[in-house]
Amino acid sequence: MTASESTEKILAVLAEVAETDEVRTNPDLALFDLQVLDSMKTVELMVAISEQLGVDISPAEFEREKWATPRLMIADLESRIGA
């Protein structure tokens, strides 16, 4: 999987869980500060990422600062995927 493919898949999963396409167009959207994601949606996102991308993230590994924006989330997940 190329970096652009993984970016698109991550954004697709995020847009589905967050219920907004704004995550695709604004890479610096403050996901938690603007309440795009809350604790329940974050867990939902972890499950969806595991199912659709094969990347397992336990709540203990989750760092809110690394997922504060779509850009940061993509960087974190791509480092885990090895893209």
Side-chain angles (χ1 to χ4, degrees), residues 31-32 37 42-43 45-46 49 56-77 79-80:
L31 298 172
F32 296 100
L37 291 180
T42 301
V43 171
L45 184 59
M46 286 181 198
I49 287 169
D56 292 323
I57 301 157
S58 74
E61 294 176 307
F62 171 74
E63 292 181 49
R64 184 174 160 152
E65 303 78 43
K66 289 188 176 182
W67 283 22
T69 68
R71 184 187 316 273
L72 291 170
M73 182 182 298
I74 289 165
D76 181 53
L77 290 172
S79 72
R80 294 171 190 255

Side-chain angles (χ1 to χ4, degrees), residues 4-41:
S4 64
E5 288 172 337
S6 64
T7 296
E8 188 50 44
K9 285 186 177 187
I10 292 164
L11 287 174
V13 173
L14 178 57
E16 184 180 324
V17 172
E19 300 176 5
T20 178
D21 278 334
E22 189 175 358
V23 298
R24 293 175 186 268
T25 58
N26 183 355
D28 297 311
L29 183 68
L31 298 172
F32 296 100
D33 293 344
L34 297 175
Q35 299 177 342
V36 175
L37 291 180
D38 59 18
S39 57
M40 289 302 293
K41 284 199 182 286

